Amino acid sequence: MAENNAKANTKKNTKNKMTAAQREAKMKAAEERQKRADEKKAAKERTKKIFTWVIVIILVIGLTLPVAGLSAAGCMSQNVAEQTQSTAADQAASDSTAAESSSSNG
């Protein structure tokens, strides 16, 4: 029984033994995987930031243009109303002037 345990231990030990070159290669591979993972994470963060800025810009433009358009339309309608009032006042003044000149001629 002790012999079976000894054989089992030696088999396990031979499976776990690595040469220095194998350990070094394994370490380099692990470092390379970590480096690729870090680069991938940084690229993902950069993409997320760019996406966020694009969405913010779209929202700002989308909310600003209608408001600017409505305020411009409001100013235009206000100007039209003022022009209409001034035109009506001018017409009334010219009508009264014409009426006065007609009555003084008559």
Side-chain angles (χ1 to χ4, degrees):
M1 191 144 165
E3 292 176 12
N4 288 340
N5 288 337
K7 285 182 181 179
N9 287 338
T10 57
K11 284 183 181 179
K12 287 181 183 177
N13 289 340
T14 57
K15 286 182 182 178
N16 292 333
K17 290 184 182 178
M18 285 192 275
T19 63
Q22 288 174 332
R23 277 193 302 264
E24 188 176 327
K26 195 172 184 179
M27 291 296 288
K28 282 184 180 180
E31 288 173 0
E32 191 65 31
R33 279 193 309 271
Q34 184 65 35
K35 184 179 176 183
R36 277 185 269 145
D38 290 342
E39 288 173 355
K40 189 175 180 180
K41 185 177 179 181
K44 194 172 187 178
E45 288 293 322
R46 194 169 42 250
T47 303
K48 187 177 179 180
K49 285 180 183 179
I50 291 170
F51 181 75
T52 302
W53 275 108
V54 167
I55 294 299
V56 167
I57 290 170
I58 288 172
L59 286 174
V60 166
I61 290 172
L63 294 174
T64 303
L65 288 178
V67 171
L70 289 173
S71 66
C75 290
M76 287 181 195
S77 64
Q78 189 176 19
N79 289 340
V80 169
E82 288 174 0
Q83 289 174 354
T84 306
Q85 288 175 352
S86 66
T87 305
D90 290 343
Q91 285 178 349
S94 66
D95 288 346
S96 65
T97 308
E100 286 177 12
S101 59
S102 297
S103 63
S104 62
N105 286 342

